[in-house]
Every structure is written in structure tokens, then in C-alpha cells.
Amino acid sequence: MNSSPSSRSSVVVAELGPTNTGKTHRAIERMLEHGSGIMGLPLRLLAREVYDRVTARVGEGRVALMTGEEKRVPPRPDYWICTVEAMPTDKAVDFLAVDEIQLAAHRERGHVFTDRLLHARGRKETWFLGADTMRPMVQTLIPHASVKRATRLSQLRYAGHRSLKSLPPRSAVVAFSADRVYELAESLRRLRGGVAVVLGALSPRTRNAQVAMYQSGEVQYLVATDAIGMGLNLDLNHVAFAALSKFDGADQRELYPDELAQIAGRAGRHLNDGSFGTLNTLPELPPRVVSAIETHRFPAVRSLIWRNAALDFSSPEALLDSLARAPGHSAFIRVERADDFDALKDLSRVPAIQDLATGPAMVELLWQVCQIPDFRKGLFGQHVALLCETFLQLTAGDGKLDAGWLNKQVAPLDDVSGDIHTLMDRLAAIRIWTYISHRPGWLHEAEHWQERTRGIEDALGDALHERLVERFVQRAARRSTRRFVKATARPPSGSASPFAKLGQMLEEMPGAEGFAMTEEQFVQRVVDASHDAFQVDATGTISFEGEPLARLVRGTDRRSPLLALAEPEVWTGGARQRLERRLLALARDLVTEAMGGFPAESFSGAGRNAAARGLAYRLSEGLGVITQGEAHEQWRLLDEEARARLTEQGVCEGHRFVYVAEALSPHALERRCMLTSLFLQRTCPTGVPQEPVLQLSELDRRDARAYGYEVLGSMVLRIDIVERLCEALRHPHGGRQVQALMQDLRLEGGIRARVLRELGGATGSPPPRRRRRRRGGVVQVSGTSGAHPGSPRSGAPEREGRRPREGAVRNATAFRDGPSES
């Protein structure tokens, strides 16, 4: 990400419009057309939803997730899905997008969105997504931006007010306090049998489980705060407001029409129309408000919240002055209130801190401590006291937090007993320590503390989800997770079910309360698991921790295998949906591995070179390998930039094939054979892909290339071996290398001659003995005029130290141990 102001080298696009216009979907598609990208989103839950959508397309190996307290970063990610505050400002990527950019006018968070609007840029393309009310601001601050109006895909209509009892299925009731949410959820449970609950204060783990329960149809109703208004894709038909005012951190105020529209717009997804209204405990909405919401017309944003980014760390007072500096542009309003600024003011008056914060390094550390979020939202003085103690710990001794002090803070939170409110209080508290554990350089054994705080947060989240289900979902509406364990923990003796051992495993594994693991806990383990935690065999069976969990089945092509859970009826709907989502991402990783990591999507954009798009598509179809005949014309038409980019991604122009270098590695060929066998619905031929050469009778001629082999006479050779032989045959001094390869492959006599002839080389018979004759004073050498380019040229002694070009022959002493890693 380029943080320089308004770089003109990046194309800037602003897609502005109401909800359900497909803005986020188009931004995701556009990002995947680039080789790398960052997407900033306003909520952790929305970031997780987009992460799941992207990983379902390209696999988890290429995508990182970063929020304040949740980080999933693979070794070499191409795409970063983040909350706006967590966007890595030091990453240079081709594409960058920020969603809900109208939050630049938010009184507390707005300055972060304003900073991204002014400074965050992708190297090639930048997108800002949000409400049309931002149009004047974008045009003023980024005059060269291309501003597009997005139109809603479905109609949104006012339905008046209704009672809870008369709400249609697939409805959300929106309130603005946790107590009111629980009260409404209890009423709906009595009337309708079950309801899911979504609050901003829930952990991502709990909210994901609640949303999955609703999305899968286990329950038909949702009670939520306005957290659902920020881009969450829920299958809602109707939104009912239970209140029209909220406390915004400073005052209790009426909601603005555009805020109502943001929430009401969650009803109706894609082409399905939606409706909105109020509960009958409230008056009807004024006609002008209804008209504004239905027509999506609201007053334009005329000013944005701003904070000075050029900070002075010479002293706490200088830092406060620089933070309080007034903006130099009429479009900006200095942020009025922020927890970090208020904390800095209070801490700068503490004598012990005044004595320590005397240089830029210490003042900067103090500012970092002040930025620790107050997730508890209780008494602010209590939070400031915690920040003071944290700073004093970091400035004493070796500059890291004392392990004993940390344990004293964290240990009391490791308790899953209590009611919903108690668990939510502990969740809010542990989130602070999860945040602190990810601060670089603050802790000894940081990974240990990250794992411990995350484990406590997960256990609390699981317990909270169970309490919510117990309280708001009738047993008839959803099978108990405890009954799930009992039903599968003791299968009938001699059961051949692939799920039988899983039940035993669940019984043996301790859960949050020391009992057998619940369905939710097990599903979360799968969702959180890294790629290496799964085992996939040659038949496409996916195992987790040694037990079969699902299998891959035939899809529309080799690149799109489908998924079948082992005994899907065992899982509740929400659990099944989450498992399928995680395993679908795993399936995409397997396809990527078969293609040698080639990012075909990043060549598919409309602005890409047409020949590069076509070549990438063919390489994708061929799992990273296509013939020269298929590629020749498009390879010839590539421009210099496209050719360089393909080469950078490992694409090689061989003698008989164009291929991704890593697609010919042993692991990639194993994945290719698995995907091919799944698609052809037959077992993999014996010896494939381990054997470099097979009899044609062992492999069907029509399937040879699909499995990664080339037919040469009565034999089939693995494609990596074919390319090595071709390289050696065409090298001026490759004769001895060809002979060594032939001996290693154990090809002799007529078979050897046929293979070499098919590859365009000499038959391999000994060259005629050369005789020197003198005619007319000229020395002639007979038997060399017909020498093939693949054999040593006459009069040119072989130089064994000379290396062929990249992709050529290497020492072939271990062909029978598997394919080359070239």
C-alpha cells in the first residue's frame, strides 16, 4: 500500500450508491484480477465474511486476515482482508479498496477513514466504496477520481409497523442496546421457537456461529444491533426497527435517515425485493423519511473528521498539541473526541509518567499504550489506570511486560461459568489482552500469550454461543450440541461409518468445561485449522487429525471439485455450512497446488492483454501445463509487460509444452492426478505419477496428458522428463546427457530410437567412424555432415562445465523416486 498522498500513478475509482448494489462483490472480483491487493472493511465480522468469500475462490494459502484481535497470515499471502484500522500501511500491493468510506464522517472512527481516503493507494488501482452522500467530498479531495453511481439490484419498500407475532420469516429486529436485544430475543423465542443474536460486543467466533445458524435456516429470525448495517450479507426479507434513537457515545439522539437506510437496506439481497418498518410499539415513520429511504436520496456529506498525522513526539505536551492541530482544509473537522487522546491527556498528568516520558522514544511508546482499545466500555478511569500500569511495566526492567503481572490479569478471565452478561464482560476484558499480546516487542514469549489469550477468548465465545442457544433457541428448533456428542460418541460396535471414530475422538477431547467436545468447539477447530492440519489422499478423502471428515467429488471440471461431508445429517445446519465453507477453501488450495501456484484470476481483468488472458485461461484449464500448439499463437502475441509477468509467475516456454515450473514438481503432479481421477471417475493408473516412464498399455492414450504424461510410440513419459530430454537434444553439447537420461530411464534398442525420433532427435545409434582423407590439400572429415543439432557438432569438443538454459537437463539419478522439483 502506497501511503503517499493522492498518487496520480494509481487509478482511483469511487463506487458510490445504496446497499445491495454489488459494490463489495465487484471490488472483490477486481482485486482478484490483480496479483496482489488489500481490502479494508468497517467490521471484524464483515472482514471475516469477505475473507471466507475470497478463500473460497483462491484458497487460504494466498489470503491473510487481519483485525485488531484476529490474525491469520500464511507464509506468502497475495491478498489482505482487514478492518480499516488494521490495514498494513507498509505493504505495496497492486489493488487497494476501502469499504463504507462514508464513515469518514463518523465522530470517533472517521479520522482513520479520512486518512485512508487521502493517503492509501494501490500501485495500479484504488477503489473507495460507500454511500452516494460522499460524492462531493470525493470529487473535491480527489478530483482525478472516476466516480460511479451504483444502482440497487432490488426494490426496498416500506411495510408500516407490525407486531413481533406478525413478522414474516427471514426477518431481523434491530435494537440499540444489549438489554433490549435480549428482551426482544426472549419474546421472539416464545412466539417463534428460536432466534439468532448478533451484537457488536460478541467475539467473532460467537457472531460467526450465530450468523451461520441463521443463514442455514436453523432459525428464521435475527435480533441485532446496528452492527448488521455495515455490509453484512444476510438472507433478510424484512427489517423491523425496535427503536429509532441510540446513544452515540455522547448523547441519546434520533437516528438520521441515512443511518436508517443503511440498516433497512440489509433487507432484500441481490434480485430479491425487501421491506422495512417498525414494531407496533413505535409510531409510523414520517413520509419524508420513508421516501428518502425508498429512493436513496439523502443530504450530501459536507465535512469529514480529520486528525493530524504529523505528530510531534518530543514531549507529551507537544504530542497533545500536534494531535489538537486544526485542519488546513475547509472540508475537514478535527476529531472532537477519541479515547486515545483523552487517555493521553489523563496520563500526561501522572507524575511517574511525566518523569519517564522525556524523549521521543518514550513519548511514542506512551502514545502506543494510549491506543489500546477500551473494549469493556465501562468506567473510563478504570481503563486509564490499566494503561498507566501497562506503561510503567514497559518502562521498567527489560522493557517488557512482567509474566507474573500478565498472568494476574489474564487468569481470572479463564472461566466459562456464569450467565450471558458475565461471559460478555469477560470477553470484552480478554479482547484487551489479545490486542496487547500482538503488540511487537511488548512481551516475552509473545506467541505463548497470543495462544493463551486466543484460547480463553475462544472458550468464552463457545460458552456464550451455547448460552445464547440454550436461552433463545427451543430444543425442537435445533439439536443440542451436547446431544450431538452423545449421539456420536458411542457408535454401534463394528460400525464401518467414517464418522464413527470422529465421535470417539470428540468424546476423548476435553471441551471448554472439561467435558466432551461439543459440535461448535469441534467445528471451530476445523475452521481455525491451518492447511497442514488436513490430510488429503489420492482418492480425494479429506481427514482432520487423522479422521475422515469429507471427500472431494466430481465437479464441472478438474478445477472445480465439489465437496461431500461424511454423514452430513450429523451436523446442525450452521455447523454444516461453516465446515463446507472451510473445506471449500481447502479444495481451492489443492487446485492451486496442482497448478504450481499460478494465479490465473489475476490475468482475467478486462484491461489485461487479450493474449495473456487467453493463455492464463488455457493454463488454468490444463492445471499449469498446455501444449505448444495450444499456446503458440497467444504466446507470440504477448506484449513485453504480459510476457514478463507470466515469466515472473513461473511460466516457462518449453520445447513441447508451455508450463508453470512448479506444476511439474512431485507434489503438484500428485494433486493433478488426484483431481484428474476425480473428474474422470476412475482410479489413478498404477505408477502415476511416481514412474517417469510407463508402457502405453498401462495408461489410456486419451488420458495421458491429463495425468501429466506424453505418448511417445509405445511408451508414455512424464512431461517434466520429456522437457528435459528435449532440452538436452537441442543443446549443442547435450549428447552425453541424452545417453545418461536414456540409461536412467532404461530405454534401449528400438524403443529408445522411437522415443528420440518422436522428440526430433537422433536415433541414438553410434555415429560412423570418422576418417581423415586428404584431397587436393584439403582435410575432410566423413560421417559428420548429417549430425543432428542435439548431438555434438563436428570439430566442437564437448565442454562439460557448460550449463544449459533454465529448465534444461539436470543430473537424473533419482527419476524413480518421483518427479523432478525443477
Side-chain angles (χ1 to χ4, degrees):
M1 182 167 72
N2 183 4
S3 296
S4 60
S6 301
S7 172
R8 292 293 184 107
S9 61
S10 174
V11 173
V12 179
V13 175
E15 279 236 16
L16 307 176
T19 55
N20 191 28
T21 58
K23 300 186 296 289
T24 305
H25 171 75
R26 286 190 292 275
I28 292 172
E29 293 297 313
R30 188 60 175 165
M31 179 178 71
L32 295 179
E33 291 173 3
H34 289 274
S36 58
I38 292 175
M39 198 162 194
L41 300 143
L43 296 175
R44 290 190 299 164
L45 187 54
L46 180 56
R48 183 67 198 224
E49 179 188 312
V50 172
Y51 172 80
D52 287 340
R53 289 175 62 184
V54 175
T55 54
R57 288 282 304 278
V58 301
E60 289 201 357
R62 297 181 60 198
V63 190
L65 173 66
M66 288 189 65
T67 68
E69 307 102 76
E70 188 175 15
K71 292 178 174 60
R72 293 173 67 93
V73 184
R76 292 184 299 276
D78 295 321
Y79 306 108
W80 299 74
I81 310 302
C82 319
T83 50
V84 172
E85 286 85 351
M87 292 172 72
T89 57
D90 58 341
K91 298 290 180 186
V93 293
D94 294 337
F95 178 89
L96 181 140
V98 180
D99 200 8
E100 306 293 356
I101 194 62
Q102 75 275 4
L103 287 177
H106 190 274
R107 61 186 299 171
E108 292 184 31
R109 300 179 66 197
H111 65 91
V112 179
F113 286 79
T114 300
D115 178 78
R116 302 296 184 257
L117 182 68
L118 294 175
H119 303 300
R121 296 293 181 270
R123 286 179 299 206
K124 297 180 179 178
E125 197 166 0
T126 303
W127 281 30
F128 296 111
L129 317 172
D132 198 53
T133 54
M134 279 291 291
R135 182 181 296 268
M137 283 289 93
V138 172
Q139 291 174 330
T140 299
L141 299 173
I142 316 175
H144 61 282
S146 171
V147 183
K148 301 177 180 179
R149 178 174 175 79
T151 57
R152 188 175 167 91
L153 299 174
S154 63
Q155 297 294 316
L156 185 62
R157 292 285 179 256
Y158 181 55
H161 57 212
R162 300 177 182 233
S163 66
L164 279 176
K165 189 174 182 179
S166 65
L167 286 176
R170 312 308 291 168
S171 289
V173 181
V174 179
F176 299 97
S177 72
D179 289 340
R180 182 63 172 147
V181 165
Y182 295 142
E183 179 187 335
L184 290 163
E186 182 65 32
S187 298
L188 265 176
R189 184 195 67 80
R190 290 196 300 267
L191 292 168
R192 296 294 190 177
V195 61
V197 173
V198 175
L199 298 162
L202 298 181
S203 69
R205 189 180 180 109
T206 310
R207 285 185 295 178
N208 291 342
Q210 290 286 307
V211 168
M213 193 169 67
Y214 173 80
Q215 288 291 88
S216 67
E218 287 184 58
V219 294
Q220 294 294 320
Y221 297 91
L222 180 75
V223 182
T225 61
D226 53 344
I228 68 167
M230 288 300 157
L232 292 184
N233 289 303
L234 300 169
D235 296 328
L236 293 173
N237 294 332
H238 181 75
V239 169
F241 289 94
L244 298 174
S245 65
K246 72 172 185 177
F247 182 74
D248 64 359
D251 305 296
Q252 185 75 23
R253 63 169 178 82
E254 296 294 314
L255 273 80
Y256 302 123
D258 59 329
E259 292 176 314
L260 292 170
Q262 186 74 29
I263 300 167
R266 294 300 112 199
R269 303 309 305 157
H270 194 52
L271 301 179
N272 298 322
D273 294 341
S275 60
F276 67 98
T278 60
L279 294 183
N280 57 6
T281 55
L282 299 175
E284 294 270 8
L285 289 173
R288 62 177 182 81
V289 174
V290 171
S291 176
I293 294 173
E294 289 183 338
T295 59
H296 322 298
R297 297 186 182 279
F298 307 99
V301 173
R302 295 298 179 186
S303 57
L304 306 181
I305 304 301
W306 176 89
R307 171 185 270 178
N308 180 30
L311 302 182
D312 183 352
F313 293 109
S314 58
S315 69
E317 294 75 18
L319 177 57
L320 285 166
D321 288 343
S322 63
L323 286 166
R325 190 169 301 157
H329 195 293
S330 60
F332 301 136
I333 297 175
R334 182 173 60 82
V335 58
E336 294 179 8
R337 181 192 169 280
D339 285 348
D340 52 7
F341 182 82
D342 294 342
L344 180 62
K345 281 198 301 184
D346 289 355
L347 291 178
S348 63
R349 301 190 190 106
V350 177
I353 290 180
Q354 288 176 342
D355 294 340
L356 291 168
T358 56
M362 285 296 178
V363 175
E364 187 171 1
L365 176 62
L366 177 62
W367 178 233
Q368 291 171 359
V369 170
C370 290
Q371 290 178 301
I372 296 172
D374 181 16
F375 293 115
R376 292 175 295 188
K377 299 297 181 185
L379 295 174
F380 189 64
Q382 183 182 7
H383 181 64
V384 171
L386 174 63
L387 299 184
C388 179
E389 199 167 357
T390 302
F391 180 75
L392 295 176
Q393 282 273 339
L394 289 170
T395 52
D398 59 0
K400 296 184 186 293
L401 297 177
D402 178 71
W405 177 78
L406 264 177
N407 187 63
K408 183 180 177 182
Q409 307 298 321
V410 170
L413 304 175
D414 192 3
D415 180 1
V416 295
S417 62
D419 59 14
I420 289 174
H421 290 282
T422 302
L423 291 172
M424 287 188 65
D425 288 343
R426 291 192 193 121
L427 261 175
I430 197 61
R431 286 176 65 189
I432 295 174
W433 298 105
T434 302
Y435 178 92
I436 289 174
S437 71
H438 283 90
R439 294 296 306 180
W442 283 17
L443 290 83
H444 293 289
E445 300 181 338
E447 290 186 4
H448 160 75
W449 287 104
Q450 289 167 12
E451 188 174 324
R452 183 176 178 188
T453 55
R454 176 67 185 273
I456 294 173
E457 183 176 343
D458 289 348
L460 290 169
D462 290 341
L464 179 57
H465 176 64
E466 286 184 42
R467 302 292 195 282
L468 292 171
V469 170
E470 288 170 4
R471 179 170 171 181
F472 301 125
V473 181
Q474 288 184 357
R475 294 301 187 190
R478 183 181 190 269
R479 199 177 340 175
S480 164
T481 55
R482 190 66 65 199
R483 279 167 54 189
F484 160 79
V485 173
K486 289 179 180 177
T488 59
R490 293 180 177 84
S493 59
S495 171
S497 162
F499 204 79
K501 289 185 179 179
L502 177 59
Q504 296 169 1
M505 178 178 69
L506 290 174
E507 185 181 37
E508 293 165 3
M509 288 185 178
E513 300 178 16
F515 299 109
M517 184 179 294
T518 65
E519 174 194 69
E520 172 57 32
Q521 290 171 328
F522 178 76
V523 169
Q524 193 64 48
R525 283 171 68 90
V526 177
V527 170
D528 290 341
S530 65
H531 182 78
D532 295 338
F534 299 93
Q535 302 85 44
V536 185
D537 66 17
T539 67
T541 298
I542 300 172
S543 298
F544 178 68
E545 297 180 344
E547 300 299 332
L549 185 60
R551 70 182 190 280
L552 298 175
V553 295
R554 189 179 194 269
T556 55
D557 55 42
R558 291 187 297 171
R559 297 167 295 162
S560 310
L562 301 179
L563 198 72
L565 290 177
E567 298 194 28
E569 67 278 1
V570 172
W571 309 100
T572 53
R576 185 166 58 249
Q577 185 184 67
R578 298 180 70 205
L579 281 173
E580 288 173 343
R581 183 178 293 170
R582 173 63 186 97
L583 296 178
L584 181 59
L586 175 67
R588 296 295 172 261
D589 279 329
L590 300 176
V591 174
T592 300
E593 289 174 1
M595 293 169 56
F598 180 66
E601 301 86 358
S602 63
F603 290 89
S604 62
R608 298 290 183 193
N609 176 280
R613 290 204 310 270
L615 193 61
Y617 178 75
R618 286 182 177 273
L619 280 168
S620 176
E621 277 192 318
L623 295 180
V625 181
I626 55 177
T627 64
Q628 274 284 1
E630 294 175 285
H632 175 73
E633 186 63 21
Q634 288 166 330
W635 187 269
R636 185 180 64 82
L637 294 173
L638 290 174
D639 59 31
E640 187 175 336
E641 180 185 356
R643 192 184 299 270
R645 186 147 182 264
L646 284 164
T647 302
E648 182 184 333
Q649 295 297 335
V651 178
C652 304
E653 184 183 18
H655 295 282
R656 293 174 75 95
F657 297 91
V658 171
Y659 58 92
V660 180
E662 285 299 315
L664 299 183
S665 69
H667 185 67
L669 287 173
E670 287 174 2
R671 295 298 189 218
R672 163 186 283 272
C673 292
M674 178 197 70
L675 294 170
T676 300
S677 293
L678 283 173
F679 184 70
L680 297 178
Q681 294 185 302
R682 64 187 68 161
T683 57
C684 189
T686 304
V688 174
Q690 292 79 18
E691 292 296 329
V693 58
L694 296 167
Q695 294 283 343
L696 182 56
S697 58
E698 300 177 60
L699 185 61
D700 191 299
R701 179 185 293 271
R702 294 170 300 177
D703 301 336
R705 282 182 181 164
Y707 280 109
Y709 285 76
E710 177 78 330
V711 177
L712 298 172
S714 61
M715 307 299 292
V716 288
L717 269 67
R718 215 170 49 219
I719 287 174
D720 60 315
I721 306 302
V722 170
E723 282 297 323
R724 291 179 175 206
L725 277 169
C726 288
E727 180 67 28
L729 286 167
R730 283 154 181 79
H731 194 275
H733 308 291
R736 289 185 182 177
Q737 293 169 328
V738 171
Q739 291 181 16
L741 285 169
M742 289 290 110
Q743 290 172 0
D744 236 3
L745 296 172
R746 301 176 186 174
L747 296 180
E748 301 293 343
I751 294 176
R752 169 177 176 166
R754 177 67 183 273
V755 167
L756 291 176
R757 189 161 55 249
E758 291 275 349
L759 295 176
T763 63
S765 56
R769 185 176 180 181
R770 291 182 291 181
R771 293 177 297 146
R772 300 173 66 86
R773 293 184 298 167
R774 185 179 297 275
R775 273 189 193 171
V778 179
V779 176
Q780 294 185 347
V781 181
S782 63
T784 61
S785 59
H788 191 274
S791 54
R793 290 178 297 186
S794 61
E798 290 185 10
R799 289 174 289 170
E800 298 199 72
R802 179 171 176 177
R803 293 173 57 86
R805 66 179 174 83
E806 185 178 358
V809 169
R810 293 177 175 85
N811 195 339
T813 58
F815 278 167
R816 308 234 167 235
D817 295 332
S820 164
E821 300 243 20
S822 62

